[in-house]
Amino acid sequence: MWYFLNVIFNILNKKIYNYFPYPYFVSVIHLGVGVVYCLVSWAVGLPKRAPLDSNQLKALIPVAVCHALGHVTSNVSFAAVAVSFTHTIKSLEPFFNASASQFILGQQIPLSLWLSLAPVVIGVSMASLTELSFNWLGFISAMISNISFTYRSIYSKKAMTNMDSTNLYAYISIIALFVCIPPAIILEGPKLINHGFADAIAKVGMTKFISDLFWVGMFYHLYNQLATNTLERVAPLTHAVGNVLKRVFVIGFSIVVFGNKISTQTGIGTSIAIAGVAIYSYLKAKIEEEKRQAKAA
């Protein structure tokens, strides 16, 4: 379900950008639909809303700000370049995670993990050099998104509460929505009022426009919710490998659906990057497992 919803989200999202290129506004819609979904779920008691005290709120704000920044910059990249290319750049996330762990958190990263990241960096570089849809806005936005999500995971570890993942994600979504609204109004508001909405409605009609925005928001919220719930239920290794395979699925489906022409070098580079992420994920989860067993012993 996580893969299925993610693939549908990525394809519908790009189709919207093809006729409505306003990523800041669409990011607000993604979070807004999710927040309404959470509020309705709480209202009917599925799940029961977990109380939030001021200390938990303080701990969650940095997580939500990083989530908002990572989400918006991902969308700016999706709007600017091919979906497959954004996902190839986003496969660099483990490299940023390892760097942050070593240089910010002071955790020692074994040499084997650093070596496994070399093919990821090489693969992404190869893919970028010959990517037919390449532009700097798409590339830099995806890179900022990698850094934002790295900081999100650092702050998440610090903010680990005894709250269940569904409630936790709901609170993060609500705070992130408030963070995303001002830049959307400032950067895209005047354009949307002048011609943005009118152009989109002229191209696809009011009903399709509204239903596309509603469904893309639903798929965004549900795939994130399922990813969080999956993480709660499986070992880190399973989740890490699952995340890599998810990118393979999304890249493959987006190339088929949009008929993106990719050069041979981009194809090879993407494959090398994904293989590197798979090796890194496997080694990292194995090290975590060994640490856990040593603690238990």
Side-chain angles (χ1 to χ4, degrees):
M1 282 302 287
W2 169 27
Y3 283 14
F4 173 68
L5 292 171
N6 193 277
V7 167
I8 291 180
F9 162 74
N10 274 281
I11 289 168
L12 181 55
N13 205 37
K14 185 64 180 176
K15 282 187 170 171
I16 290 170
Y17 287 136
N18 286 342
Y19 70 80
F20 184 68
Y22 297 95
Y24 290 87
F25 177 78
V26 173
S27 300
V28 167
I29 295 293
H30 291 158
L31 291 165
V33 172
V35 165
V36 171
Y37 179 89
C38 294
L39 295 175
V40 171
S41 302
W42 279 339
V44 297
L46 288 167
K48 228 164 103 54
R49 187 177 75 82
L52 185 76
D53 62 35
S54 60
N55 287 336
Q56 284 174 319
L57 179 63
K58 266 186 216 148
L60 283 183
I61 284 173
V63 181
V65 169
C66 292
H67 180 69
L69 182 61
H71 177 53
V72 168
T73 48
S74 292
N75 275 290
V76 170
S77 182
F78 284 137
V81 293
V83 172
S84 52
F85 183 51
T86 300
H87 277 280
T88 302
I89 305 165
K90 283 171 74 66
S91 66
L92 276 173
E93 213 175 295
F95 176 78
F96 287 96
N97 273 328
S99 303
S101 300
Q102 176 113 24
F103 304 115
I104 296 169
L105 297 178
Q107 297 169 354
Q108 210 42 48
I109 301 290
L111 181 63
S112 58
L113 275 185
W114 282 115
L115 290 173
S116 71
L117 285 168
V120 184
V121 177
I122 293 164
V124 171
S125 307
M126 277 178 69
S128 303
L129 287 172
T130 54
E131 168 58 42
L132 302 172
S133 75
F134 183 90
N135 66 47
W136 283 107
L137 176 66
F139 181 80
I140 292 166
S141 300
M143 282 297 205
I144 294 171
S145 138
N146 279 335
I147 296 165
S148 306
F149 286 139
T150 297
Y151 274 97
R152 182 185 68 179
S153 66
I154 292 171
Y155 288 125
S156 296
K157 287 190 180 85
K158 291 180 181 171
M160 266 314 179
T161 60
N162 46 12
M163 205 185 286
D164 65 285
S165 61
T166 305
N167 271 300
L168 193 62
Y169 185 66
Y171 282 123
I172 288 170
S173 295
I174 292 167
I175 302 166
L177 176 62
F178 284 106
V179 175
C180 287
I181 289 172
I185 293 170
I186 294 161
L187 295 168
E188 294 179 345
K191 280 186 263 181
L192 287 170
I193 292 163
N194 286 341
H195 58 85
F197 292 128
D199 290 353
I201 292 162
K203 280 176 195 161
V204 296
M206 176 75 89
T207 312
K208 180 169 167 51
F209 181 49
I210 291 171
S211 77
D212 276 359
L213 289 176
F214 169 75
W215 284 113
V216 82
M218 278 303 285
F219 287 126
Y220 172 75
H221 181 78
L222 292 173
Y223 103 71
N224 274 293
Q225 186 59 71
L226 277 169
T228 316
N229 294 354
T230 307
L231 181 57
E232 213 174 35
R233 287 171 172 77
V234 297
L237 172 60
T238 315
H239 198 266
V241 172
N243 228 340
V244 178
L245 288 177
K246 179 200 82 178
R247 291 218 190 283
V248 176
F249 261 74
V250 173
I251 289 169
F253 273 100
S254 70
I255 288 169
V256 171
V257 170
F258 294 108
N260 292 344
K261 301 261 185 298
I262 61 162
S263 67
T264 310
Q265 186 176 319
T266 297
I268 294 168
T270 302
S271 307
I272 292 171
I274 298 289
V277 175
I279 296 162
Y280 168 84
S281 305
Y282 174 73
L283 290 174
K284 188 172 190 308
K286 218 171 131 199
I287 291 163
E288 296 290 323
E289 192 55 47
E290 281 162 11
K291 273 191 206 158
R292 236 196 333 274
Q293 283 172 355
K295 256 192 201 159

